[in-house]
Amino acid sequence: MRRRSFVRGVGAGSMVALAGCATRENGDEDETGDDPDEEPLEEGVEDDSALRVVTYSSMVVDETSAGRWLAEAFEAEFPDAEIDWVVPEAGIENYVQRARLGAEIDADVYLGLTLPELVRADEALSEPLFESLERDRLENDDRISADLEFGDPDGRVLPYDVGYVSLVYDETVLEPPETFEDLLEAEYEDALLAQDPRRSAPGRAFLLWTIAAFGDEYLEYWEELWENGVDVRPRWTDAYVDGYLEENRPMVVSYSTDRIGANLTDRNLDRHQVATLEGEGYENVEGVAIFAETERRELAYEFVDFVFSSEAQAEIAVRNAQFPAIEDEYLGLGTEFTAFARQPEEPVRFTYDELREQLAGWLEAWDDEFGEQLEDAPVGETDDAPPDETEGENGGTDDGADDGEPGDGEIDNGTEGEPGDERDDGTDDGADDGEIGGDETGDESNGAPAGNETADDEVETDAN
């Protein structure tokens, strides 16, 4: 049976603030809950019984992406099921705004949730957006590595993969930096490409990494980094695809799994070396959660459990260029992963409580100090998502779309429309004026302003 899998991209007006995830979807709906501006490509294409899974664009943008494989394999195991992918431009902020307005959430599962996004939702809402998982409904959850935690105090999110933000460099041009201080030396002047932490998940992770290293003096370090010519671009795609791959500069903030994608696409591995400063890398855990308002709870639990199957974990690891979440005894990873993935000796992370208490303030302080220098790019468009087999955000290979943005027209995977940027799990207060901390929300990848119209472009893709 040939089954259709759909990718829905949701668009909304731009917002300013701390951007976050890979997408944007927010706005007014009519009384039926349907978007009046929605124009499906085919009459009757969407099946109301389909499981609506929210994710970021690089998870589904290419035919070889992890999301495409997941949909095909899940639908093969559950013939009556159908996956309807949703890629909102504002990421988590879309659902924060819907909940604030009392609008229908209209989604079942969130695949690719990060801890800063969960913190953002919890700060903004009085009622939880996601339900506490009933672990006794899952068969594969005991496979999750004991060393890997998402950090949610209420048990709403399970980690399904993890990546480590580090530096990727060209060894034909540079010797690898060993410390943060090395990046301030003349040898690395005008060498580093980074991402805006208000918009991009790896950019935010790199900022948090510097905060872990320098504490309250992190802004002073960034001042020196700026003086040494760091080039901060809005999104991961801008820095990695449009900058690093075009050889604009010899070093970029990306992921320690970068060489997996480089190998799969036959790139020169001399230009895809990984530097872990002081043996460290910032840990970026991605999780899966079920929306509290889902009407497809049984199928949602089946999907979550499937994500932790041995085959699914192995496919996600290679296709998304991230480390799997389950114990090695349940895996059979090939050399295309094991020979090229690098795990830092000392992962760096902040806890839920630490981020809940301080993340917004850290971002606001960074914005006050450096935001005006980046005014050319509207805050809110985010790009964070681990790379799928096409240059995704975590160092995967490139599909040629702008950071996982299928919005530039038709992509070679057959999807078209604008499912949004790559995943950028950031927090955002959504202030309209660019100030961080207000009642309105909307960073461009994590947030869309309340009241903006949305345009859902549903894209049909072949899942089977």
Side-chain angles (χ1 to χ4, degrees), residues 202-252:
R204 186 169 308 106
F206 185 65
L207 173 63
L208 290 172
W209 192 7
T210 63
I211 292 171
F214 296 99
D216 292 339
E217 298 178 358
Y218 75 99
L219 292 177
E220 286 82 351
Y221 176 77
W222 272 89
E223 279 285 0
E224 294 185 64
L225 204 58
W226 217 279
E227 290 171 3
N228 209 37
V230 63
D231 184 356
V232 179
R233 300 195 179 184
R235 298 174 296 275
W236 179 88
T237 296
D238 301 314
Y240 190 95
V241 178
D242 299 338
Y244 187 72
L245 293 186
E246 294 298 322
E247 301 188 26
N248 293 167
R249 290 195 170 198
M251 186 163 53
V252 63

Side-chain angles (χ1 to χ4, degrees), residues 10 40-41 80 90 94 124 133 170 179 194 197 233 257 294 308 320 330 332-333 370 380 382 410 424 426 442:
V10 193
L41 296 181
D80 294 332
N94 170 72
L133 293 172
D170 183 348
T179 68
R233 300 195 179 184
T257 47
T294 181
F308 295 100
N320 217 32
Y330 301 106
L333 291 174
F370 307 108
T382 65
E410 197 166 319
D424 210 350

